[in-house]
Each structure stands twice: as C-alpha cells, then as structure tokens.
Amino acid sequence: MSTLIKDIGPRKWWAVGAISLAAIAFSLDLTVLNLALPTLSKALHASTSQLEWIADVYALALAVLTLPAGMLGDRFGRKRLLVMAVALFGIASAVCAYSTSVDMLISARILLGVGAAFILPLGMSVMPLYFKPAERTKALAILMGGVFLAYPLGPILGGWLLTHFWWGSVFLINIPVCLLAVTAIAALLPESKSETASSIDWLGIVLSSFGLTGITYGAIQAESSGWSDEKVLAALFVGAALLIAFVAWERYVTRSNKVALVDLKLFAYGAFTWGTILMTSVNFALFGLLFGLPQYLQAVRGDDALHAGYFLLPMIAGLIIGSVAAGKVGAKAPHKAMATLGFLCMAIGLLLGARTAIGSSAQFIVAWTAVIGLGLGIAMPTVATAAISPLSADRSASGTALISAVRQVGGTLGIALLGTLLGSSYRNHLEISNLPLGLQNSVSQSVIAGVAIAKALHIPSLLGFVRSAFVMGLTDMLTVCGIIALVAGCVALAFLPNAHKVKTAIGTTRVRTETN
C-alpha cells in the first residue's frame, strides 16, 4: 500500500526547519556539557560519581522513552506531543542553568532527557506524511544536518560560553531556540495521528524500557569500570535478556492482530534494516572522532578548549556542503550510490586522521576533518531516507522511534567500545615502568592526567612518552573507525536498495490530519 501524503504546501519546509531547531538544541546538550563538568565540580561541590550521573542520566532517559514516544505520538498526536516535548526541554534547560545543588541538576537533566526522547522520532515521523519520496532526502538533510551539526558545534559554543559567562549559560542557550521552535511547530505543522484506535502495549513499553536502560547503563559504566566489572556484566545481561523477552512478546502481540509497540515486520524490508544499521554505524565513526580529537588537541598540541573547538569548524563546513549536495542530488541518484560515496569519504578522512602525529600541522588536521564532515553530510540523510521509506503513515512515529532507539543504543555502545580501545591502547604504549607504582596508576588514567603530572614534576621525557602513547592510541581508534566506515560503504553498495525498489510497509491505514 502507498503511504498517504498530505500536501500542506511550502510551509512543510518551514516546519521541518523548526523541527531541526529543536533537534539542534537536544543534540547540543550531548556535547556542550562535557566542557562544563570541571566547572560544575567546583560550583556545586560535585564528586566524580555525581559528575558521571549528571552526564549519564540524560542518555538513560533517552533509552527509557524513545520507543514509547513513537507509539504515544501515533495515538495521541505527533504535533501535540512534539510541542510539549520541546517546551519541556526548554523549561528543563532553565532549571539546569539555575540549579543550586547536584540533586537538582540531576533531576533537571532527567527532564531534559524526557523531552529529548520525543523530539527526533516525532520530528522524523512527519517525513512520510508530508514529503514525497523525491523530497525526503532534502528534508532529512535539513533535520539530520541540524542534529550532526550540533555535535561538533557543542564544544566550540561551550568553550566560548565558559570563557565569557558562568556555567549555566551552556543550558540557557537552549531556551530561545526552544521558544522559536515551539512557536513555529505550533503554527506550521498540522496535527496528525493514527485514526485506528488501539490499546497501549504496556508490557512492551516496560520490557523495552528496562532492557534498553540495562544495555545503556552497562555501556556507560564500562567506560570507567571496564567490561569485566560485575555490575557492567549484570546490567548488560539483564538488559539483553529483557530485550529478548521484548522481541518474543512483540511477536506474540503481532500474531494476535493487536498493535505492538514495535512492528517487527519492518525488518523484512531491506531499506529499513540496512538504513537503520548504517545510521548506527555513522555514530560509531563520528563519536570516535569527537571523543579522541579534542583530547589530542588539548593534551598533545596544547590548545585550550576554545581553540581546540575551532579545529572542528572544517568538519562543520564539510557537513554543510555534504548535506546540501545530498539534498540536491539525493532525489535523482540511487540511495546506494550516495551512501557508498559518503561512507567512502568518511573512511578516507578517518584513515588519514589515523596518520596524525605529535607534530602534525594544523592544515593536515583541517583537511582530514573536513573530508569526514563531507562524507557525513552525504551519508546521513541518504541512509535516513532509506530507513524511513518503508514506513506507513499510520505507524510513522513508531517506526522512526525504533530507528532512533537502535541508533541511540548502538551509539552508546560504540562510544564505550571506542573509549575502551583508546584507553587500553594508550596504557599499553606507555613506557613508565621506572616510575613509582602510584604515579604509574595516575598517569595511566588518561592523557590529560599524564600531561598534568609530567608538567607538575617537570619531567620532559615523561611528557613525551604520554603524548606519544596517546597518539598511538588515537591511531588505533581512528583506524578502527575508518574500517567501520569502509565496511559500511561496502554494506550500502551490496545491500541498500535503490529508491525506486522500496515498497511501503504493510499496515497503512487512514491517518487523520488537522489543518490549523
């Protein structure tokens, strides 16, 4: 069956622009906070474990609510819940900015995650409703371009704000963006919901929420405690067991002709399955870069946080150019060709980055980060278009929520795995056997700690060993990221269907839309 597309005229482009503003706000919050953590530690007297919770509860809230957000949007109205989510995000940002205690900040960060969990899946869900197939790559280039533009923009903006203002400013920047987004979405986007009344899959919500939380929590803890830690293994095991039970329950609900939280039939469509997998692989490569490069710039090159952020500007420029190219060419070129080209550019940039040395020039770093940005801008909207192409209008929010959940959890696992790889490679290449055991442990914690100790003790040879070891670790991590991007390109070329071969998923029924 074909997806029911409602023509709302040119305002759909303004609407997707408004949604991308909301997406920028929630994406900024994933990276802008990292620079503020040391300041928060002093201002709120937060311990290391409390700082970890301040950073991590956001991701945990996303894991809990992303899948239910889709079903609730399909049932109660996508526009209504999207406006409420963006408004909640703005309010929670204000509470974060003026928090006077760690507990207050953690609670506000949970509310931020609740709002963020609805923004991307509900934002993506309007694409099958109001955009023709030939227009979707351009629309998704605007939306996903905003999402991925915010990741490297976060450290730059955060560094500038922390240099000139107090730590709460990193949250206050969300408020005007959210106000503008709420106003525009309310005015421009028609309401839409499934006309078929259905009961809510409560057991599916419980199983998926706790399962995704277990996997996410285990991955987050693995970064600091290691993969062999008992709590990490227990969380991953329980999370995986609950997700297996969730899949079994969803299969039972589907066979009973009831509306399941997740339509498992979507995985029968190659465009959805491979598009979702490829979207997740983008996260691996991107977050590996955003995790390792700032540390290299600050600890090895000696740049401050603000100047380190400037080195991400070429990637932003490449991302914008790639997104514009994907939007213009994507409607005519086959999905697999565009996706393959994008991943190939990413692989080239990452593998060039793996050749970075202690004394690499700024021009070399600018060049390979720009190539990565170009590839990212081409690949991301293309594979996102492929992933949503089989979605029926009736379950568009549920389908995009599934894509977001897989991408979110895959990205979290990827960050943990790549962080572990970088950390272990750094420690393995350190030559510090002549130091006292206490100092060895301190230097081994991170390159930032190692550089600080070497400078404090005035030991140039130790400083050289620390920087050299980290560069070798960065080489290993970027090589792995480059291989992942290369494999993703091969997967896209081999398995991603072209646009004209994609069929819409079964289950399309009437969708009620209301014009303002």
Side-chain angles (χ1 to χ4, degrees):
M1 296 182 181
S2 61
T3 301
L4 304 176
I5 300 174
K6 183 176 179 63
D7 186 8
I8 60 173
R11 66 176 173 148
K12 64 189 176 185
W13 294 105
W14 291 101
V16 78
I19 295 170
S20 70
L21 282 177
I24 287 173
F26 102 80
S27 299
L28 274 175
D29 213 69
L30 289 169
T31 55
V32 75
L33 181 66
N34 292 337
L35 290 175
L37 288 177
T39 307
L40 281 173
S41 178
K42 297 177 182 177
L44 299 179
H45 306 290
S47 65
T48 301
S49 61
Q50 288 175 323
L51 289 176
E52 290 175 355
W53 275 110
I54 290 170
D56 296 341
V57 290
Y58 185 75
L60 290 173
L62 282 173
V64 171
L65 288 172
T66 298
L67 277 180
M71 170 173 268
L72 295 174
D74 285 333
R75 175 163 180 167
F76 297 111
R78 301 173 183 104
K79 171 185 173 178
R80 182 177 294 111
L81 290 185
L82 183 57
V83 168
M84 291 171 62
V86 179
L88 175 62
F89 194 90
I91 294 169
S93 296
V95 177
C96 284
Y98 292 103
S99 292
T100 55
S101 68
V102 173
D103 291 340
M104 184 178 177
L105 181 57
I106 290 175
S107 299
R109 289 278 293 169
I110 293 173
L111 289 179
L112 273 179
V114 172
F118 285 79
I119 292 174
L120 191 57
L122 294 184
M124 288 179 64
S125 72
V126 307
M127 303 303 171
L129 302 179
Y130 305 118
F131 291 90
K132 298 175 183 178
E135 300 172 321
R136 288 177 193 163
T137 302
K138 182 178 180 180
L140 280 165
I142 296 172
L143 176 58
M144 301 308 296
V147 172
F148 282 88
L149 177 66
Y151 291 149
L153 190 61
I156 301 172
L157 189 57
W160 184 83
L161 288 170
L162 290 170
T163 301
H164 296 91
F165 304 98
W166 104 109
W167 62 266
S169 61
V170 302
F171 296 106
L172 286 182
I173 58 172
N174 293 331
I175 296 176
V177 176
C178 289
L179 283 173
L180 183 59
V182 165
T183 304
I185 292 170
L188 297 169
L189 190 67
E191 182 60 281
S192 64
K193 65 175 76 172
S194 172
E195 195 171 83
T196 305
S198 60
S199 59
I200 297 177
D201 182 9
W202 290 111
L203 183 57
I205 289 175
V206 171
L207 290 173
S208 64
S209 296
F210 282 98
L212 291 173
T213 300
I215 296 292
T216 303
Y217 177 79
I220 290 171
Q221 284 296 109
E223 293 183 58
S224 56
S225 304
W227 291 93
S228 59
D229 181 77
E230 292 182 358
K231 290 183 179 179
V232 170
L233 293 175
L236 293 174
F237 175 79
V238 171
L242 289 173
L243 290 180
I244 292 171
F246 168 70
V247 172
W249 170 251
E250 296 302 287
R251 289 172 61 88
Y252 168 77
V253 172
T254 303
R255 287 197 301 266
S256 303
N257 293 321
K258 299 177 182 178
V259 177
L261 178 62
V262 170
D263 186 0
L264 296 177
K265 295 175 184 176
L266 286 171
F267 288 104
Y269 296 83
F272 179 87
T273 301
W274 293 112
T276 302
I277 291 172
L278 290 171
M279 285 180 72
T280 304
S281 69
V282 170
N283 277 19
F284 273 72
L286 178 64
F287 284 119
L289 170 66
L290 294 179
F291 181 74
L293 183 59
Q295 294 185 69
Y296 166 82
L297 294 171
Q298 293 182 64
V300 178
R301 282 181 54 90
D303 297 313
D304 59 30
L306 183 59
H307 286 87
Y310 289 154
F311 274 93
L312 297 175
L313 289 174
M315 190 174 84
I316 293 175
L319 172 63
I320 294 172
I321 294 170
S323 297
V324 171
K328 289 185 176 181
V329 182
K332 302 176 183 178
H335 284 159
K336 65 169 56 189
M338 291 293 291
T340 302
L341 174 62
F343 281 113
L344 182 60
C345 287
M346 290 182 68
I348 292 172
L350 288 162
L351 293 175
L352 280 174
R355 298 177 64 85
T356 300
I358 293 177
S360 290
S361 66
Q363 292 83 355
F364 176 69
I365 298 171
V366 165
W368 64 262
T369 52
V371 173
I372 293 173
L374 178 66
L376 177 65
I378 295 172
M380 195 63 212
T382 303
V383 297
T385 302
I388 70 165
S389 57
L391 297 183
S392 66
D394 200 38
R395 300 293 305 280
S396 63
S398 299
T400 53
L402 177 57
I403 295 170
S404 296
V406 173
R407 177 177 157 270
Q408 176 70 26
V409 174
T412 303
L413 284 170
I415 294 169
L417 290 168
L418 292 172
T420 301
L421 171 63
L422 178 58
S424 61
S425 182
Y426 163 71
R427 287 187 291 272
N428 290 337
H429 287 104
L430 278 174
E431 299 178 20
I432 53 174
S433 56
N434 60 328
L435 292 178
L437 185 59
L439 276 180
Q440 289 184 34
N441 293 334
S442 298
V443 171
S444 298
Q445 287 181 359
S446 69
V447 64
I448 302 296
V451 168
I453 291 170
K455 288 183 176 180
L457 297 178
H458 304 288
I459 307 177
S461 60
L462 177 59
L463 183 62
F465 288 143
V466 167
R467 287 174 169 171
S468 177
F470 181 80
V471 167
M472 291 179 184
L474 183 68
T475 295
D476 292 341
M477 188 187 69
L478 291 180
T479 299
V480 170
C481 290
I483 292 172
I484 290 172
L486 194 59
V487 170
C490 295
V491 168
L493 184 62
F495 300 111
L496 195 66
N498 288 325
H500 65 279
K501 293 183 179 181
V502 176
K503 297 180 180 179
T504 303
I506 60 174
T508 302
T509 59
R510 291 177 298 168
V511 175
R512 183 166 61 246
T513 57
E514 304 162 6
T515 55
N516 296 325

